[in-house]
Amino acid sequence: MKTDNISMRQVLSLLSAALLSPLILLLPGETVAVGGRAGWLSALAALPVALLVGWAFRRLLVAAPAGTGLAGALELAFGRWGGRAVTLVYLVWGVLLLGWNTRWCAFRFLATTYRNAPLKLFFFILLGVTLWIGRGKRVAFLRAAEVFALALGIALVLALGLGTLKTEWGNIAPIWIEDLPGAIWGALPVLGLLGYGVYAAFLGGHMAGRPENGRQLTRWIWGAGILLAVFQLVCIATFGPGLIERMDIPFFMMVKDVRVPGAFERVESLVMALWVLADLALLGMLFFGCRSVLEHWNGGAYREWMPWVIAGAAMAAGLWTVPDAFQLNWLMEKAVTVGNVCVGILLPVIGAIILYIKERRRTE
């Protein structure tokens, strides 16, 4: 539908807002665990792979039949039934991510605010709001995501700027040659974080002007890599690698005692409140990615039952596949990272390479 067309800028705004939700829970704790004080370099080490994935998404989306997005491109690369099998993997993984992240976001919200409130209450509130969003039009959600990204970007820059006033730069220096292998291994959780972006690519079938958007995506990847490096640099410089490994959310701890006299006495409260927008952006992105797969299987047509099926499956995944918070944390920090690298990094690159080979053979 023409009324549901979206732009690359809107998709990238959504992705920017969505990634901030798992960002504060994964980084820099996961990179420091393997890279120590050099963990902030992991974001720069991940840049070559991220740029390769950006090339893969551009090639896939340009080759996709009009209105099909990534789902159509995967069928071109892997064949009709092979492509359906691959999109089924994305659908199942997306539903699991939706359920797990809904519970993870609810748990984080409780851990930082209402500690004695029931977890299921916030889980159902988040999932219910996501269902309400997912029953609407993509363009409405993408327009809201632009506002989310702007508000969250201002809050992040403000928090990092004020956070530099509390840094101890001796916590990140010196960095020796023997520290670099750990920083390179630290690129894995960074790539796992970026792997969420594959669900934004499923919205590409509704994107206008796809072939002309390569530079915009490349600039976003460079900007994201630099921002992730700066984010980790400030956090590590504030607490040091040893203390960060014992913290649940170093970023919130960094802004805990930051104040703006005459404006905000507790910047932490403002930041935590705004981060709910990042949660909704992430959950909405996953929801619409799964919905796009179902619509593609249905010939591009939307049906009212689709959001209810996605929400029901996500509820089951979030409540019944993980018994407690300890296993949930391990799952989100370790297993999801590996899974996102496989489905969000490796599969798109393999698909783009197959398309490239097919195109070369046709031209020859």
Side-chain angles (χ1 to χ4, degrees):
M1 295 174 57
K2 290 183 180 180
T3 56
D4 208 14
N5 281 343
I6 59 179
S7 67
M8 174 65 85
R9 186 195 70 222
Q10 290 174 324
V11 172
L12 294 179
S13 296
L14 169 63
L15 190 55
S16 300
L19 292 185
L20 291 178
S21 177
L23 167 66
I24 62 168
L25 291 163
L26 291 171
L27 304 182
E30 292 300 297
T31 55
V32 163
V34 292
R37 66 180 65 192
W40 64 275
L41 293 172
S42 59
L44 303 180
L47 265 177
V49 178
L51 291 168
L52 176 63
V53 177
W55 165 83
F57 283 140
R58 291 198 304 270
R59 180 163 289 277
L60 288 167
L61 291 177
V62 169
T68 63
L70 185 60
L74 292 171
E75 289 190 10
L76 283 180
F78 296 101
R80 177 175 175 80
W81 295 110
R84 289 294 171 96
V86 172
T87 53
L88 176 61
V89 170
Y90 279 110
L91 177 61
V92 173
W93 186 245
V95 167
L96 290 173
L97 287 179
L98 180 58
W100 294 338
N101 275 284
T102 302
R103 183 167 167 181
W104 209 27
C105 292
F107 180 75
R108 187 212 73 216
F109 193 71
L110 288 179
T112 54
T113 52
Y114 303 101
R115 294 179 181 270
N116 295 322
L119 175 66
K120 289 184 179 180
L121 172 64
F122 287 90
F123 176 87
F124 284 121
I125 289 174
L126 280 173
L127 191 59
V129 173
T130 305
L131 173 61
W132 174 73
I133 291 171
R135 295 184 66 203
K137 291 185 176 181
R138 292 173 183 83
V139 65
F141 175 58
L142 268 292
R143 287 171 180 167
E146 290 185 277
V147 179
F148 292 176
L150 178 62
L152 288 162
I154 293 173
L156 180 62
V157 171
L158 174 65
L160 292 178
L162 295 174
T164 58
L165 302 177
K166 301 167 58 179
T167 53
E168 295 288 343
W169 296 108
N171 288 328
I172 58 169
I175 295 176
W176 308 106
I177 296 295
E178 53 266 29
D179 295 325
L180 297 183
I184 294 173
W185 275 110
L188 183 64
V190 175
L191 293 173
L193 174 68
L194 296 177
Y196 280 102
V198 70
Y199 289 93
F202 278 100
L203 307 181
H206 300 265
M207 195 183 303
R210 290 173 295 155
E212 292 79 24
N213 291 320
R215 292 183 180 178
Q216 199 171 358
L217 177 58
T218 301
R219 288 196 298 267
W220 183 90
I221 292 171
W222 277 102
I226 294 171
L227 179 62
L228 289 176
V230 172
F231 174 85
Q232 295 184 92
L233 178 67
V234 174
C235 289
I236 297 171
T238 300
F239 298 111
L243 188 55
I244 280 181
E245 288 193 70
R246 298 194 295 271
M247 289 181 172
D248 292 327
I249 309 177
F251 176 64
F252 281 173
M253 294 300 296
M254 183 184 72
V255 299
K256 187 174 178 119
D257 296 323
V258 172
R259 292 175 173 82
V260 180
F264 300 104
E265 287 303 314
R266 293 193 63 185
V267 175
E268 174 200 13
S269 300
L270 172 65
V271 172
M272 285 194 300
L274 282 175
W275 238 255
V276 178
L277 301 180
D279 298 337
L280 292 177
L282 174 66
L283 300 178
M285 183 181 74
L286 294 171
F287 200 103
F288 274 108
C290 294
R291 195 180 111 175
S292 295
V293 174
L294 292 178
E295 289 175 359
H296 177 72
W297 289 354
N298 196 45
Y302 168 73
R303 294 290 183 267
E304 284 292 336
W305 56 265
M306 293 177 179
W308 294 98
V309 169
I310 295 169
M315 181 184 68
L319 292 179
W320 299 324
T321 60
V322 187
D324 54 54
F326 296 103
Q327 293 191 38
L328 177 66
N329 282 334
W330 178 89
L331 181 75
M332 300 303 295
E333 292 169 359
K334 309 299 181 186
V336 167
T337 293
V338 175
N340 276 355
V341 169
C342 291
V343 303
I345 306 294
L346 294 180
L347 271 179
V349 171
I350 292 171
I353 291 173
I354 291 173
L355 275 183
Y356 175 76
I357 294 172
K358 288 182 175 180
E359 291 172 4
R360 288 291 300 270
R361 287 178 177 174
R362 282 197 297 266
T363 57
E364 292 174 357

